[in-house]
Amino acid sequence: MDRYLIIALIIKRKRQDLGYKAEYVAKLANISLSYLSMIEHGTAKPNEQILSNLFKILEIEYNEDQTWLENHRLKINNVHKAILDYDVEKRNNIYNALIKNEEELLNSILVADFLIMKLGYLVTVGKECDSLIRLLEHHTNKFQSDQYNLYAYYLGVNYKNKLDLKMAKDTFISLLDKGVQLTLLPMIYYQLGQIENRLNDELKSFSFNDQAYKLFMNIGNMRRAIQVLSQMALTYTTNGRYKQAELIYERLIDHTKSMNLSKLERNIIYNNASLNAIKQGDFDHSLKLLNQLKADSDQIPAFYFNKAWSLYNKKSYKKLMEFINFSQDCGALDRYINDCLTLIKYLCSTDDQKIEATLKKIETYISKEGDYDAKEFIYGQFVELYQRQHQYKNAFKYSMLINSL
């Protein structure tokens, strides 16, 4: 980006941050509203006096310290690398250090690089970033190629997070057609694999994931390669191919013993493997896997459901009640998992009235926001309840809902 495009982004962002209307700033700077608009869009080349006035009005201290700028450019690039490498600790540490200098970065030639990096961080941790996207989207046609590719990649991830799978898929495919830097290529295939899995296209999902896995292995990114394998195993589980999933999980568990994975990464693998065991009705193996989870398992909400459901099916009711009471008392469960534990508690007592009330409570929100597994489980419990009560019309209704998933 040239100097005037950078200045355009700095001025527009700061004016919006201060809550100043364009008319107010233009009047103070003694320029027309249309000329200020041209400055903010990078189509005008104002003289130094006008820029000095605007910087004074907007309290902008333009940073031109080259040593400082190069040092922070390197840090920004390292955040991108940590995001793509799935190095959560490194990502957080560098990002938090950069945020302390946010105002200086926003008033420098690094403004676009910093904002794209910030977008990447926000979408990665699942935080709101719509206002930041709106600010950046007016300048994307002036981004350098690598800047645009990173911006578009993070935009695609944001679409995926919001379950706008068509827009996410179109964004990633467009990037593949355009051509991107090597560091982004396997990530795009990985994202497409996840999207196709959600769209229930197993063949395409495996094709994209296989491409991602090979590319990650070629560049020596074992952490991401393991993540892709885990996604492939989860796809097998979702599509009822439990034995194939089990073979991949055996490979993944071997990797957890030889690689320096984080507790969260390790726990996700064991938790997903336990889900695959549950789907096969092997509750002994599920519990064995769950007992391998290290501390901080509360970072994986499904852990609580998997363990409770396994104990319930093992008829280990005393251990089950102790586990449910402890888990609910800690207050860290999300709404769905907490309600499922309550449901399992009522299933032990066969209190059909309370079971039905809890199922209907859960149905009110999973029908709109629940994923495939949540709906399949809850609708399946409705079927069992109504079959037990000989309410076959209602049982048929929920059977049809399962078939429509």
Side-chain angles (χ1 to χ4, degrees):
M1 297 176 71
D2 69 25
R3 179 172 182 261
Y4 291 103
L5 289 169
I6 291 167
I7 287 171
L9 190 51
I10 290 172
I11 289 174
K12 183 173 183 179
R13 182 215 54 93
K14 191 60 186 287
R15 178 178 65 76
Q16 290 178 341
D17 273 5
L18 291 172
Y20 292 168
K21 291 186 176 181
E23 295 88 345
Y24 172 73
V25 173
K27 184 176 180 180
L28 288 181
N30 198 27
I31 58 176
S32 68
L33 179 59
S34 60
Y35 191 61
L36 176 62
S37 177
M38 291 169 65
I39 292 172
E40 290 191 351
H41 285 84
T43 56
K45 295 184 178 181
N47 61 41
E48 293 303 316
Q49 183 59 53
I50 291 175
L51 285 180
S52 177
N53 289 343
L54 287 170
F55 285 178
K56 186 176 180 180
I57 293 164
L58 298 172
E59 303 170 17
I60 294 170
E61 294 183 18
Y62 191 56
N63 189 342
E64 297 184 278
D65 183 333
Q66 292 304 309
T67 302
W68 187 92
L69 291 169
E70 285 306 311
N71 178 263
H72 283 75
R73 189 192 302 276
L74 179 63
K75 290 180 180 179
I76 287 171
N77 290 338
N78 284 337
V79 173
H80 289 305
K81 186 176 187 304
I83 289 173
L84 299 178
D85 288 348
Y86 198 55
D87 192 335
V88 176
E89 184 177 358
K90 184 177 179 181
R91 177 201 69 193
N92 292 346
N93 288 341
I94 303 175
Y95 178 81
N96 289 333
L98 284 168
I99 282 295
K100 293 176 182 177
N101 296 314
E102 181 170 13
E103 193 63 25
E104 292 173 84
L105 285 160
L106 291 171
N107 295 332
S108 76
I109 61 171
L110 297 179
V111 56
D113 298 290
F114 175 76
L115 290 174
I116 293 168
M117 179 276 297
K118 186 175 183 179
L119 174 64
Y121 177 83
L122 293 176
V123 300
T124 303
V125 298
K127 292 187 177 180
E128 190 279 325
C129 54
D130 289 348
S131 59
L132 179 53
I133 290 171
R134 285 194 296 271
L135 174 64
L136 286 168
E137 65 186 359
H138 296 295
H139 301 275
T140 55
N141 61 329
K142 300 296 193 298
F143 284 169
Q144 295 173 0
S145 178
D146 285 0
Q147 287 177 322
Y148 178 80
N149 291 343
L150 283 167
Y151 165 79
Y153 171 77
Y154 294 137
L155 187 64
V157 176
N158 187 56
Y159 284 134
K160 191 191 76 173
N161 290 348
K162 293 187 170 186
L163 300 182
D164 190 343
L165 301 183
K166 183 182 184 305
M167 283 297 295
K169 182 177 177 179
D170 289 347
T171 302
F172 291 130
I173 292 294
S174 177
L175 277 171
L176 288 180
D177 292 341
K178 175 179 177 289
V180 298
Q181 53 266 49
L182 182 60
T183 51
L184 269 185
L185 191 58
M187 286 303 304
I188 292 171
Y189 282 119
Y190 172 63
Q191 297 291 351
L192 285 167
Q194 288 189 312
I195 290 168
E196 294 297 352
N197 182 47
R198 293 187 183 184
L199 294 172
N200 296 319
D201 193 326
E202 182 183 340
L203 189 61
K204 285 185 179 178
S205 176
F206 268 88
S207 176
F208 285 127
N209 277 321
D210 187 54
Q211 286 273 53
Y213 178 73
K214 289 174 181 175
L215 287 167
F216 283 131
M217 291 296 289
N218 286 341
I219 63 177
N221 192 338
M222 284 299 297
R223 175 174 262 114
R224 281 294 189 185
I226 287 174
Q227 194 177 29
V228 175
L229 274 182
S230 186
Q231 178 61 46
M232 293 169 78
L234 196 57
T235 301
Y236 271 139
T237 299
T238 302
N239 289 282
R241 299 170 69 177
Y242 307 124
K243 291 300 180 184
Q244 292 93 328
E246 190 173 348
L247 291 173
I248 296 179
Y249 281 123
E250 287 174 1
R251 289 170 61 191
L252 286 166
I253 288 170
D254 283 341
H255 282 308
T256 67
K257 298 172 183 176
S258 60
M259 285 192 64
N260 186 28
L261 300 178
S262 69
K263 285 184 290 188
L264 178 58
E265 290 170 310
R266 187 178 185 276
N267 289 348
I268 287 173
I269 290 171
Y270 278 93
N271 195 67
N272 289 347
S274 78
L275 173 63
N276 191 66
I278 287 172
K279 295 284 189 176
Q280 296 179 82
D282 191 345
F283 301 105
D284 283 321
H285 188 49
S286 170
L287 289 170
K288 181 180 177 182
L289 289 163
L290 293 170
N291 287 335
Q292 297 297 313
L293 267 67
K294 293 187 176 182
D296 298 335
S297 56
D298 57 331
Q299 295 183 61
I300 312 171
F303 159 79
Y304 295 96
F305 172 80
N306 288 356
K307 186 160 185 176
W309 192 241
S310 297
L311 288 169
Y312 170 74
N313 282 279
K314 284 278 295 174
K315 295 183 170 56
S316 301
Y317 297 134
K318 183 178 179 181
K319 287 183 179 179
L320 172 63
M321 291 305 172
E322 290 174 352
F323 176 71
I324 289 177
N325 291 334
F326 172 80
S327 301
Q328 292 186 320
D329 286 345
C330 75
L333 303 179
D334 65 31
R335 175 175 60 171
Y336 172 68
I337 297 298
N338 188 69
D339 288 344
C340 279
L341 295 193
T342 299
L343 173 65
I344 293 170
K345 187 188 297 185
Y346 293 148
L347 287 171
C348 293
S349 65
T350 62
D351 187 330
D352 284 354
Q353 187 174 358
K354 289 182 177 179
I355 290 171
E356 184 175 23
T358 306
L359 285 171
K360 287 184 175 180
K361 176 185 176 184
I362 297 172
E363 185 186 21
T364 59
Y365 56 85
I366 66 147
S367 60
K368 297 178 181 178
E369 60 192 59
D371 60 17
Y372 173 87
D373 287 326
K375 290 177 181 177
E376 182 187 41
F377 174 71
I378 295 302
Y379 295 160
Q381 292 306 306
F382 269 118
V383 171
E384 290 188 20
L385 170 68
Y386 290 133
Q387 284 181 338
R388 187 165 64 247
Q389 295 178 337
H390 307 296
Q391 296 185 38
Y392 299 117
K393 185 176 180 180
N394 283 336
F396 178 74
K397 168 190 168 183
Y398 284 100
S399 294
M400 294 304 293
L401 286 174
I402 294 172
N403 291 334
S404 69
L405 295 176

